[in-house]
Amino acid sequence: MDALLLARMQFAANISFHILFPTISIALGWMLLFFRSRWLATRDPAWLSAYRFWTKVFALTFALGVVSGITMSFQFGTNWPGFMERVGNIAGPLLAYEVLTAFFLEAGFLGIMLFGHGRVSERVHLLATFFVAFGTTLSAFWILALNSWMQTPAGHEVIGGEFHVRSWVEVIFNPSFPYRLMHVLLASALTVAFLLAGICAWQVLRGALNAATGKVLRVGLTLGAVLIPLQIFVGDLHGLNTLEHQPQKIAAMEGVWDTERGAPLLLFAWPDEAQRRNHFEVAIPRLASVILTHAADGEIQGLNQFRDQHPPVAPLFFAFRAMVGVGLLMLATSWLGCWLYRRCAWRPLSLPRWLLWGLAGMTFSGWVATIAGWYVTEIGRQPFIVYGLLRTADVASTQPASMIGFTLAMYVTLYLALIVSYVSVLAYMAQKAEGEAEGEAEADAEAAPGSAPRAGAGALAQGLAT
Amino acid sequence: MIWMDFDQMLPVIFMALMGLAMLIYVISDGYDLGVGMLLMSATDAQKDVLIASIGPFWDANETWLVLGIGILLVAFPKAHGVVLGALYLPVALMLIGLTLRGVAFDFRVKAKAQRKAMWDRLFFAGSALTAASQGWMLGRYVSGFGEGWNYPLFAAAIAVALPMAYVLLGATWLIMKTDGELQEKAVRWARIAWAPMVAGMVLISLATPWISATVRERWFTLPALIALLAIPLVTAVALLAVRAILNTRLVRGPLSWLPFVLLIGVFILGFLGLAYSIYPFVVIDRLTIWQAASSAAALKVILIGVAVSVPAIAGYTIFSYWVFRGKARELKYA
């Protein structure tokens, strides 16, 4: 394999691994703020227990996001040394602002948020939680501004091969930025919605439910049911924006080879780039034109108009269908779940087992949709690194292929092991939560006068009480 | 010195900022990497205290590395290519190490109890791998990425010395943050790590002028030499003071903070000496900061962000250290 492909695979492996964790921590930060506020407002211990459990999940997720993010900060330079030399005047300040305003904010207040209880006032603690949540979101703002600029560059001028900024407002608020930012933030919220619901369903299935389970399940299902229609709407707007600015990306997503009016929507096909046609098409007539142009005979430009300038077709075609498929599954599950849960008066134990298994199975469905969506947009930008202006091959690393291949193998092994650890530790924590709560309750009971002290926590509690 | 206009000053300002970020990184992540390398020498109960002493801070500590590398990337893109291209493999190893220790820190208390020992070992291994890779990189960088039998040997020596410097820093951090038996242990660890760290510093100080004529001229000309002599002299006094205090009983009492603070001073002086040797190069004898810098327009935009955010960062970092001041206590999630 050549060095360019290996460099791309290495970067893709890292960014795919990295995005899993911010996707959770962005929305989970706000969710923790919500849980904590509910606890302070209602003094219902269920909310405190929800806060405690999900704080641990947040800490673990955040750590994985930080370490994979550090790797990314190096790989920008090691894998694409030409990128910064050509586009540094634009990408540099955006990345610098992300580090200065967002990374330090979230990292600086994380310690107080996680471990500061009892050392700072409730108000300061809540404020620290807010800063962490705000920091994660601000980080998404800066990095998506840069990513969107690479997709739909604006506000710059090219002098002697180097990019210079003409207007920062146009660079940051470039044509695809508002849509992409909304799409990604909603993706984060949906990922967390299904994570909450999935873990709670798992707790019910394993007989490990606690006071928080029912409440958090309701939050997750409601959040999913409310946001998924909004996400489909925003996704449609994003698609229209892409059609306007990057028609070949849409052509690859839809598998359209020749420009046509009234293009059908392909439910399935096997795009064949050698023969430049599709095999095994299953299609609904005219629907692609209706969706993309909102007119039955709307024109969609075909890939053949962009010879040598369009992305690989099959990955986009399938990744797009994976994303939309998961989205539709989320719509069905969250609405059905909400309806059934309401019918059994929000009692999680009365929910049918098949629904619980379905929700548990979809715990990480947000990851699948997010990764598929990222592949659509990032592979869809190829063969360019800055759409239409700078080719990926022209900025690639000059490292020997063997070196990139060796480090790639190391990274991939590590990442796979860590994903397995993360998922299994989450499952373990979810089941353990009840035992812990019982332990605390026992300790309280043993502290009561008259009960015989045993070892450990009980004896300690007794000692403190007397 | 010839007066420079503001645009020409910008690369100097950014070199200073990058140096500052790297210095803060080396000191702050240095102590928590050091604590990581000491983990396996502690008993199981002490391990939790070791981790608790760095728990609220490690994340923010590592952000300084992102800032330092970020400035290299955005302010000196051409140097970034040369430096990270030459250090491709040790960078990858360091990143693997950083990843392992960052996640092991969280996994060790959240995974099944019987897995804790495995995550502890990974935390130790990740810390050691990170520190050794950084040492190797420092050795290669200060010797200008030279070729020949002696260069890898020099880098290997630094790859041993820098982890020892971190262990010393970590041990003195623990002297400050713990008490009782663990504190006595930390004093012993500090005594062991002292000599290798001093040897490493001497080695770097001798090797850089030996390798580069530019550096030699800067240091060994009169009258500059007399003024500059202050740096190695004060460093030596501080290091000897650290060693002396470690032998007294005061270190376990009212002066438990002193070795750590003195060592920070040593790191700052060492850094100043290195900066004086290298300036105005960003890669010794190859690339000056002006040759490597981005456009003045881009640097000005970043500088505005720096001017606004760095005081805020300093403010809430100090606040965080103040909140978690005193001896390390058990970490409990709120």
Side-chain angles (χ1 to χ4, degrees):
Chain A
M1 269 190 275
D2 65 309
L4 171 64
L5 188 61
L6 282 167
R8 278 181 58 195
M9 282 169 67
Q10 190 181 72
F11 198 72
N14 194 263
I15 209 163
S16 301
F17 178 71
H18 174 70
I19 194 69
L20 300 176
F21 304 103
T23 301
I24 290 178
S25 51
I26 291 170
L28 192 54
W30 294 106
M31 193 52 73
L32 289 174
L33 196 64
F34 171 71
F35 289 161
R36 191 89 201 173
S37 314
R38 294 307 299 152
W39 151 245
L40 293 176
T42 66
R43 290 289 157 179
D44 179 347
W47 290 116
L48 182 63
S49 133
Y51 178 86
R52 283 200 176 132
F53 174 76
W54 288 98
T55 298
K56 288 179 198 163
V57 175
F58 185 86
L60 186 63
T61 311
F62 196 88
L64 280 151
V66 168
V67 294
S68 54
I70 295 175
T71 309
M72 285 203 36
S73 71
F74 279 85
Q75 284 192 352
F76 279 124
T78 53
N79 293 37
W80 316 112
F83 178 70
M84 272 294 159
E85 284 178 30
R86 305 282 288 276
V87 192
N89 293 329
I90 290 162
L94 292 177
L95 289 171
Y97 272 76
E98 186 184 14
V99 177
L100 290 168
T101 62
F103 287 177
F104 275 108
L105 193 65
E106 49 189 20
F109 283 100
L110 185 74
I112 297 174
M113 172 189 165
L114 295 181
F115 310 117
H117 196 61
R119 293 178 204 246
V120 295
S121 70
E122 193 60 65
R123 192 188 302 181
V124 171
H125 182 261
L126 207 60
L127 201 63
T129 310
F130 167 79
F131 278 134
V132 172
F134 181 72
T136 56
T137 311
L138 196 59
S139 151
F141 174 91
W142 291 116
I143 200 68
L144 288 174
L146 173 56
N147 180 272
S148 299
W149 181 85
M150 289 160 69
Q151 303 276 356
T152 53
H156 63 272
E157 54 195 347
V158 185
I159 303 167
E162 260 186 47
F163 286 67
H164 292 266
V165 174
R166 221 187 47 237
S167 153
W168 274 111
V169 175
E170 282 179 49
V171 166
I172 294 172
F173 297 97
N174 61 77
S176 65
F177 176 62
Y179 303 98
R180 186 169 281 104
L181 181 66
M182 282 307 294
H183 202 43
V184 168
L185 292 181
L186 283 169
S188 169
L190 282 163
T191 304
V192 166
F194 279 85
L195 181 72
L196 297 181
I199 295 276
C200 290
W202 180 247
Q203 287 177 329
V204 180
L205 285 167
R206 303 310 300 249
L209 81 171
N210 55 50
T213 306
K215 280 195 158 52
V216 175
L217 179 60
R218 185 170 167 180
V219 171
L221 282 175
T222 312
L223 192 66
V226 170
L227 292 185
I228 187 75
L230 196 61
Q231 178 70 311
I232 292 171
F233 175 68
V234 169
D236 180 54
L237 291 179
H238 194 10
L240 295 180
N241 179 268
T242 309
L243 183 68
E244 188 186 337
H245 295 280
Q246 298 175 296
Q248 59 265 60
K249 190 190 277 185
I250 293 287
M253 281 155 63
E254 298 295 350
V256 178
W257 294 96
D258 295 306
T259 302
E260 57 184 312
R261 292 190 161 275
L265 182 74
L266 300 176
L267 296 180
F268 182 81
W270 190 267
D272 181 341
E273 222 166 310
Q275 294 183 32
R276 302 194 73 78
R277 57 182 286 257
N278 300 326
H279 304 285
F280 319 113
E281 280 187 9
V282 181
I284 303 175
R286 292 182 181 275
L287 194 54
S289 280
V290 172
I291 291 173
L292 285 164
T293 65
H294 297 186
D297 63 344
E299 185 185 89
I300 296 183
Q301 291 178 292
L303 289 159
N304 289 337
Q305 273 193 335
F306 312 98
R307 292 247 173 189
D308 302 326
Q309 302 232 350
H310 70 71
V313 183
L316 257 72
F317 184 85
F318 290 117
F320 180 62
R321 269 148 197 75
M323 178 185 77
V324 173
V326 172
L328 293 176
L329 201 59
M330 285 176 156
L331 180 70
T333 319
S334 58
W335 281 65
L336 187 69
C338 262
W339 182 64
L340 286 172
Y341 199 19
R342 189 167 170 270
R343 263 198 5 171
C344 54
W346 313 109
R347 284 193 308 267
L349 282 168
S350 317
L351 280 171
R353 310 269 306 169
W354 58 265
L355 180 76
L356 292 169
W357 276 112
L359 286 171
M362 286 182 71
T363 306
F364 297 100
S365 55
W367 277 4
V368 178
T370 303
I371 293 276
W374 270 112
Y375 285 0
V376 171
T377 204
E378 294 297 277
I379 300 175
R381 197 191 51 227
Q382 302 300 330
F384 298 103
I385 192 162
V386 178
Y387 177 74
L389 299 172
L390 191 59
R391 282 182 179 261
T392 312
D394 295 339
V395 300
S397 164
T398 48
Q399 288 291 328
S402 57
M403 185 76 97
I404 305 176
F406 173 66
T407 51
L408 172 64
M410 278 197 320
Y411 286 125
V412 170
T413 313
L414 179 65
Y415 293 161
L416 288 178
L418 290 181
I419 289 174
V420 171
S421 305
Y422 179 81
V423 171
S424 51
V425 165
L426 238 54
Y428 170 71
M429 283 165 64
Q431 280 165 253
K432 198 184 67 166
E434 172 66 357
E436 252 186 6
E438 252 174 30
E440 280 165 23
E442 266 175 38
D444 288 344
E446 282 165 10
S451 66
R454 277 189 297 181
L460 185 68
Q462 177 105 12
L464 288 172
T466 50
Chain B
M1 197 168 161
I2 309 155
W3 176 250
M4 289 184 264
D5 67 23
F6 186 65
D7 283 7
Q8 270 185 305
M9 274 297 288
L10 277 168
V12 183
I13 294 169
F14 274 86
M15 190 66 185
L17 280 171
M18 184 171 82
L20 184 68
M22 287 301 197
L23 177 65
I24 297 176
Y25 170 75
V26 164
I27 293 171
S28 64
D29 211 29
Y31 78 72
D32 72 51
L33 284 164
V35 169
M37 283 182 278
L38 289 168
L39 191 73
M40 299 315 283
S41 314
T43 66
D44 281 348
Q46 290 171 342
K47 279 179 186 148
D48 291 342
V49 182
L50 257 64
I51 298 284
S53 78
I54 58 175
F57 310 116
W58 75 269
D59 195 346
N61 294 349
E62 290 187 355
T63 307
W64 290 102
L65 177 64
V66 178
L67 182 65
I69 284 299
I71 295 177
L72 180 64
L73 181 71
V74 304
F76 306 105
K78 291 175 189 85
H80 187 277
V82 173
V83 173
L84 292 194
L87 298 174
Y88 190 84
L89 195 58
V91 163
L93 290 173
M94 176 189 75
L95 292 171
I96 300 268
L98 277 175
T99 304
L100 278 177
R101 73 184 291 274
V103 302
F105 175 87
D106 263 283
F107 275 123
R108 68 185 288 281
V109 283
K110 297 186 177 74
K112 290 192 182 88
Q114 59 265 40
R115 290 277 159 76
K116 194 171 176 180
M118 177 191 85
W119 288 113
D120 279 344
R121 278 196 292 277
L122 285 173
F123 187 76
F124 163 81
S127 304
L129 182 60
T130 303
S133 315
Q134 287 176 356
W136 177 271
M137 290 191 274
L138 178 66
R140 296 295 292 145
Y141 177 75
V142 299
S143 59
F145 308 111
E147 304 291 332
W149 66 270
N150 46 350
Y151 288 89
L153 213 61
F154 172 68
I158 306 300
V160 176
L162 190 68
M164 280 302 156
Y166 286 169
V167 166
L168 181 56
L169 201 56
T172 54
W173 166 263
L174 288 173
I175 293 171
M176 180 172 74
K177 296 295 276 186
T178 64
D179 44 23
E181 200 184 325
L182 182 55
Q183 193 183 37
E184 273 177 40
K185 247 185 181 175
V187 172
R188 282 205 299 281
W189 293 331
R191 284 192 202 132
I192 296 169
W194 186 86
M197 143 132 195
V198 172
M201 273 196 106
V202 171
L203 193 63
I204 293 189
S205 314
L206 294 180
T208 27
W210 171 53
I211 284 163
S212 163
T214 327
V215 177
R216 198 155 53 230
E217 271 168 38
R218 296 192 138 232
W219 281 89
F220 299 100
T221 41
L222 289 167
L225 181 65
I226 297 163
L228 290 169
L229 224 48
I231 295 179
L233 284 179
V234 177
T235 308
V237 169
L239 280 169
L240 289 170
V242 169
R243 190 68 189 81
I245 298 166
L246 287 175
N247 280 339
T248 69
R249 216 174 282 163
L250 287 172
V251 78
R252 289 191 291 274
L255 291 183
S256 67
W257 53 274
L258 192 55
F260 184 68
V261 171
L262 282 172
L263 271 178
I264 290 180
V266 168
F267 272 79
I268 293 173
L269 287 168
F271 170 81
L272 286 178
L274 208 55
Y276 178 77
S277 297
I278 295 170
Y279 178 86
F281 291 103
V282 63
V283 181
I284 293 186
D285 291 346
R286 261 204 271 177
L287 208 53
T288 67
I289 55 175
W290 293 281
Q291 290 166 334
S294 298
S295 79
L299 293 181
K300 277 177 196 160
V301 174
I302 302 173
L303 194 61
I304 295 169
V306 168
V308 175
S309 59
V310 167
I313 293 168
Y316 58 68
T317 305
I318 292 169
F319 177 66
S320 176
Y321 276 88
W322 182 77
V323 166
F324 296 99
R325 69 193 177 279
K327 303 292 181 191
R329 281 187 272 154
E330 187 200 358
L331 287 184
K332 271 184 84 172
Y333 286 104

